[in-house]
Amino acid sequence: MKNIAIITARGGSKRIPKKNIKDFCGKPIIAYSIEAALTSDLFETVMVSTDSEEIAEIAKYYGASVPFLRDASTSNDFATTVDVLKEVLKKYQSRGKFFEWICCLYPTAPFITPKMLKEAMDTLIDSTAESLMPVVQFGYPPQRALKIENGRLEYIYPEYESTRSQDLEIQYHDCGQFYICKTKAIEKYGSLLTSKTIPFVVDEQSVQDIDNLSDWHIAEMKYIFQKHKELFGEKNAISKMSSVIADLSD
């Protein structure tokens, strides 16, 4: 079975300069996605799609392939993830290389592990689905969302105002970590979410959006906690986090 892992890492991040290669707990954040994909042994090819020579060099150092740089059309703010994936597949096809399964990994997802990728791939292959998307449960019921209208608060969904939280339907959102799908599905639908997409539910502790520096620091604390918990147990991890928080407060 021929599988490809594509890590999408455009240069030029504005909110966090050089976000995709910024140091995260000791190494460039993109290294975590590369290492997870390589260590999983699921992929014939692990490549990074980028428009940046600097990102390309770091990606190669950590073991990824960068056979070409992105075109200008997929390097702007309006290019979608699917646009990037289609470009990569087309360029490989022009070289006579075809893949059955494609895994798109984001470069700022340090919580991805080889075990997670293996479990996701096994789940997808054992199903009749075309694609898989990791999702996480909303931390607060979206049905209780509020909006500000003319300076005053209003429920967006007033019909749920008196509904008990435990009676509300559980809702999920995209983890923003990785996606796995059949290459033919990408080419046919032009979307990562189709009528034959299955969920891969991820624990909230293993998910963190990183859009600004505050998010970045939260992600680092979560990562440190998880690693210490795995190695030394929860009590030691809590002690370690207390130490980290104390250092940040100084």
Side-chain angles (χ1 to χ4, degrees), residues 175-205:
C175 288
Q177 294 181 337
F178 68 92
Y179 314 93
I180 306 175
C181 61
K182 285 186 176 179
T183 300
K184 290 181 179 179
I186 282 282
E187 295 169 342
K188 180 179 179 180
Y189 300 108
S191 174
L192 292 165
L193 183 65
T194 75
S195 61
K196 294 183 179 180
T197 299
I198 58 174
F200 184 74
V201 181
V202 178
D203 186 271
E204 188 178 5
Q205 290 186 3

Short mmCIF file of all heavy atoms in Angstrom, two decimals, residues 175-205:
data_model
loop_
_atom_site.label_atom_id
_atom_site.label_comp_id
_atom_site.label_asym_id
_atom_site.label_seq_id
_atom_site.Cartn_x
_atom_site.Cartn_y
_atom_site.Cartn_z
N CYS A 175 -9.94 19.01 15.10
CA CYS A 175 -8.78 19.20 15.97
C CYS A 175 -7.71 20.10 15.34
O CYS A 175 -6.88 20.67 16.03
CB CYS A 175 -8.13 17.85 16.30
SG CYS A 175 -9.10 16.83 17.41
N GLY A 176 -7.70 20.16 14.01
CA GLY A 176 -6.67 20.93 13.33
C GLY A 176 -5.30 20.30 13.46
O GLY A 176 -4.29 21.00 13.64
N GLN A 177 -5.23 18.97 13.38
CA GLN A 177 -3.97 18.25 13.54
C GLN A 177 -3.57 17.48 12.29
O GLN A 177 -2.49 17.66 11.76
CB GLN A 177 -4.05 17.30 14.73
CG GLN A 177 -4.20 17.99 16.06
CD GLN A 177 -4.26 17.00 17.22
OE1 GLN A 177 -4.61 15.83 17.04
NE2 GLN A 177 -3.91 17.45 18.40
N PHE A 178 -4.46 16.58 11.84
CA PHE A 178 -4.17 15.80 10.64
C PHE A 178 -5.46 15.28 10.04
O PHE A 178 -6.53 15.32 10.68
CB PHE A 178 -3.21 14.64 10.95
CG PHE A 178 -3.79 13.55 11.82
CD1 PHE A 178 -4.41 12.44 11.26
CD2 PHE A 178 -3.71 13.63 13.20
CE1 PHE A 178 -4.95 11.44 12.06
CE2 PHE A 178 -4.24 12.63 14.02
CZ PHE A 178 -4.86 11.52 13.44
N TYR A 179 -5.37 14.80 8.80
CA TYR A 179 -6.49 14.20 8.10
C TYR A 179 -5.94 13.04 7.29
O TYR A 179 -4.81 13.10 6.79
CB TYR A 179 -7.17 15.19 7.14
CG TYR A 179 -7.44 16.54 7.74
CD1 TYR A 179 -6.51 17.58 7.60
CD2 TYR A 179 -8.59 16.79 8.46
CE1 TYR A 179 -6.73 18.82 8.17
CE2 TYR A 179 -8.83 18.04 9.04
CZ TYR A 179 -7.90 19.05 8.88
OH TYR A 179 -8.12 20.28 9.45
N ILE A 180 -6.72 11.99 7.13
CA ILE A 180 -6.33 10.88 6.28
C ILE A 180 -7.47 10.62 5.30
O ILE A 180 -8.63 10.58 5.70
CB ILE A 180 -6.05 9.59 7.08
CG1 ILE A 180 -5.02 9.84 8.19
CG2 ILE A 180 -5.55 8.48 6.15
CD1 ILE A 180 -4.78 8.64 9.09
N CYS A 181 -7.13 10.46 4.04
CA CYS A 181 -8.18 10.18 3.07
C CYS A 181 -7.61 9.47 1.85
O CYS A 181 -6.39 9.46 1.62
CB CYS A 181 -8.88 11.46 2.63
SG CYS A 181 -7.80 12.64 1.84
N LYS A 182 -8.51 8.87 1.09
CA LYS A 182 -8.11 8.26 -0.16
C LYS A 182 -7.76 9.37 -1.15
O LYS A 182 -8.45 10.38 -1.23
CB LYS A 182 -9.23 7.39 -0.72
CG LYS A 182 -9.42 6.06 0.00
CD LYS A 182 -10.44 5.19 -0.71
CE LYS A 182 -10.54 3.83 -0.03
NZ LYS A 182 -11.55 2.96 -0.68
N THR A 183 -6.71 9.15 -1.90
CA THR A 183 -6.30 10.15 -2.89
C THR A 183 -7.43 10.41 -3.88
O THR A 183 -7.68 11.56 -4.26
CB THR A 183 -5.05 9.66 -3.65
OG1 THR A 183 -3.99 9.46 -2.70
CG2 THR A 183 -4.60 10.67 -4.68
N LYS A 184 -8.13 9.37 -4.27
CA LYS A 184 -9.23 9.53 -5.23
C LYS A 184 -10.34 10.42 -4.68
O LYS A 184 -11.01 11.13 -5.43
CB LYS A 184 -9.79 8.17 -5.62
CG LYS A 184 -8.85 7.33 -6.48
CD LYS A 184 -9.48 6.00 -6.85
CE LYS A 184 -8.55 5.16 -7.72
NZ LYS A 184 -9.15 3.84 -8.06
N ALA A 185 -10.54 10.38 -3.36
CA ALA A 185 -11.59 11.20 -2.74
C ALA A 185 -11.23 12.68 -2.81
O ALA A 185 -12.09 13.54 -3.08
CB ALA A 185 -11.81 10.78 -1.30
N ILE A 186 -9.97 13.00 -2.56
CA ILE A 186 -9.51 14.39 -2.67
C ILE A 186 -9.72 14.90 -4.09
O ILE A 186 -10.21 16.01 -4.32
CB ILE A 186 -8.01 14.50 -2.30
CG1 ILE A 186 -7.83 14.46 -0.79
CG2 ILE A 186 -7.39 15.79 -2.85
CD1 ILE A 186 -8.14 15.75 -0.07
N GLU A 187 -9.35 14.08 -5.05
CA GLU A 187 -9.46 14.48 -6.44
C GLU A 187 -10.92 14.60 -6.88
O GLU A 187 -11.28 15.45 -7.68
CB GLU A 187 -8.71 13.49 -7.33
CG GLU A 187 -7.20 13.48 -7.07
CD GLU A 187 -6.48 12.33 -7.75
OE1 GLU A 187 -7.16 11.34 -8.13
OE2 GLU A 187 -5.25 12.43 -7.92
N LYS A 188 -11.78 13.74 -6.33
CA LYS A 188 -13.20 13.72 -6.73
C LYS A 188 -14.00 14.83 -6.08
O LYS A 188 -14.76 15.55 -6.74
CB LYS A 188 -13.82 12.36 -6.38
CG LYS A 188 -15.29 12.24 -6.75
CD LYS A 188 -15.82 10.85 -6.38
CE LYS A 188 -17.31 10.73 -6.73
NZ LYS A 188 -17.85 9.38 -6.39
N TYR A 189 -13.85 14.99 -4.76
CA TYR A 189 -14.69 15.93 -4.02
C TYR A 189 -14.03 17.28 -3.77
O TYR A 189 -14.73 18.26 -3.51
CB TYR A 189 -15.09 15.32 -2.68
CG TYR A 189 -15.86 14.02 -2.80
CD1 TYR A 189 -15.28 12.81 -2.45
CD2 TYR A 189 -17.18 14.01 -3.25
CE1 TYR A 189 -15.98 11.62 -2.55
CE2 TYR A 189 -17.89 12.82 -3.35
CZ TYR A 189 -17.28 11.63 -3.00
OH TYR A 189 -17.97 10.46 -3.11
N GLY A 190 -12.71 17.33 -3.77
CA GLY A 190 -12.04 18.59 -3.47
C GLY A 190 -12.29 19.05 -2.06
O GLY A 190 -12.31 20.25 -1.77
N SER A 191 -12.47 18.09 -1.14
CA SER A 191 -12.73 18.42 0.26
C SER A 191 -12.20 17.32 1.15
O SER A 191 -12.11 16.15 0.74
CB SER A 191 -14.25 18.58 0.48
OG SER A 191 -14.54 18.77 1.85
N LEU A 192 -11.86 17.69 2.39
CA LEU A 192 -11.41 16.71 3.37
C LEU A 192 -12.58 16.09 4.13
O LEU A 192 -12.42 15.11 4.84
CB LEU A 192 -10.44 17.37 4.36
CG LEU A 192 -9.11 17.80 3.76
CD1 LEU A 192 -8.39 18.77 4.70
CD2 LEU A 192 -8.22 16.60 3.47
N LEU A 193 -13.75 16.69 3.97
CA LEU A 193 -14.95 16.18 4.63
C LEU A 193 -15.96 15.79 3.56
O LEU A 193 -16.44 16.65 2.81
CB LEU A 193 -15.54 17.24 5.56
CG LEU A 193 -16.78 16.83 6.37
CD1 LEU A 193 -16.43 15.73 7.36
CD2 LEU A 193 -17.35 18.05 7.10
N THR A 194 -16.26 14.51 3.45
CA THR A 194 -17.20 14.03 2.45
C THR A 194 -18.33 13.28 3.16
O THR A 194 -18.37 13.20 4.39
CB THR A 194 -16.51 13.06 1.46
OG1 THR A 194 -16.29 11.80 2.10
CG2 THR A 194 -15.18 13.63 0.99
N SER A 195 -19.24 12.72 2.38
CA SER A 195 -20.34 11.95 2.96
C SER A 195 -19.86 10.63 3.55
O SER A 195 -20.61 9.94 4.23
CB SER A 195 -21.41 11.68 1.89
OG SER A 195 -20.86 10.92 0.81
N LYS A 196 -18.58 10.29 3.29
CA LYS A 196 -18.02 9.05 3.80
C LYS A 196 -16.80 9.31 4.68
O LYS A 196 -15.79 8.63 4.62
CB LYS A 196 -17.63 8.13 2.63
CG LYS A 196 -18.82 7.64 1.83
CD LYS A 196 -18.38 6.68 0.73
CE LYS A 196 -19.58 6.17 -0.06
NZ LYS A 196 -19.17 5.23 -1.14
N THR A 197 -16.92 10.36 5.50
CA THR A 197 -15.86 10.69 6.45
C THR A 197 -16.25 10.18 7.83
O THR A 197 -17.38 10.40 8.28
CB THR A 197 -15.63 12.21 6.52
OG1 THR A 197 -15.24 12.68 5.23
CG2 THR A 197 -14.53 12.55 7.53
N ILE A 198 -15.31 9.52 8.52
CA ILE A 198 -15.58 9.04 9.88
C ILE A 198 -14.77 9.86 10.89
O ILE A 198 -13.73 10.42 10.55
CB ILE A 198 -15.25 7.54 10.04
CG1 ILE A 198 -13.78 7.26 9.70
CG2 ILE A 198 -16.19 6.70 9.18
CD1 ILE A 198 -13.37 5.82 10.00
N PRO A 199 -15.26 9.92 12.14
CA PRO A 199 -14.55 10.69 13.16
C PRO A 199 -13.49 9.86 13.87
O PRO A 199 -13.59 8.63 13.96
CB PRO A 199 -15.67 11.05 14.14
CG PRO A 199 -16.58 9.85 14.07
CD PRO A 199 -16.56 9.40 12.64
N PHE A 200 -12.48 10.55 14.36
CA PHE A 200 -11.48 9.96 15.25
C PHE A 200 -11.43 10.88 16.46
O PHE A 200 -10.85 11.96 16.40
CB PHE A 200 -10.12 9.87 14.55
CG PHE A 200 -9.05 9.19 15.37
CD1 PHE A 200 -9.06 7.82 15.55
CD2 PHE A 200 -8.02 9.93 15.94
CE1 PHE A 200 -8.06 7.19 16.29
CE2 PHE A 200 -7.02 9.32 16.69
CZ PHE A 200 -7.04 7.94 16.85
N VAL A 201 -12.11 10.49 17.54
CA VAL A 201 -12.28 11.38 18.69
C VAL A 201 -11.00 11.44 19.52
O VAL A 201 -10.45 10.41 19.92
CB VAL A 201 -13.46 10.92 19.56
CG1 VAL A 201 -13.64 11.86 20.75
CG2 VAL A 201 -14.74 10.86 18.73
N VAL A 202 -10.53 12.66 19.77
CA VAL A 202 -9.29 12.90 20.50
C VAL A 202 -9.61 13.58 21.82
O VAL A 202 -10.53 14.41 21.91
CB VAL A 202 -8.35 13.80 19.66
CG1 VAL A 202 -7.06 14.11 20.43
CG2 VAL A 202 -8.02 13.12 18.33
N ASP A 203 -8.85 13.24 22.85
CA ASP A 203 -9.03 13.84 24.17
C ASP A 203 -8.65 15.31 24.14
O ASP A 203 -7.69 15.71 23.48
CB ASP A 203 -8.16 13.10 25.19
CG ASP A 203 -8.42 13.59 26.61
OD1 ASP A 203 -7.74 14.54 27.02
OD2 ASP A 203 -9.28 13.02 27.27
N GLU A 204 -9.38 16.12 24.90
CA GLU A 204 -9.16 17.57 24.91
C GLU A 204 -7.74 17.94 25.34
O GLU A 204 -7.18 18.95 24.91
CB GLU A 204 -10.18 18.24 25.82
CG GLU A 204 -10.16 19.76 25.76
CD GLU A 204 -11.21 20.40 26.64
OE1 GLU A 204 -11.90 19.66 27.38
OE2 GLU A 204 -11.35 21.63 26.60
N GLN A 205 -7.12 17.11 26.19
CA GLN A 205 -5.77 17.40 26.66
C GLN A 205 -4.73 17.29 25.53
O GLN A 205 -3.63 17.81 25.66
CB GLN A 205 -5.39 16.45 27.79
CG GLN A 205 -6.14 16.71 29.09
CD GLN A 205 -5.63 15.84 30.23
OE1 GLN A 205 -4.68 15.08 30.07
NE2 GLN A 205 -6.27 15.95 31.38
#
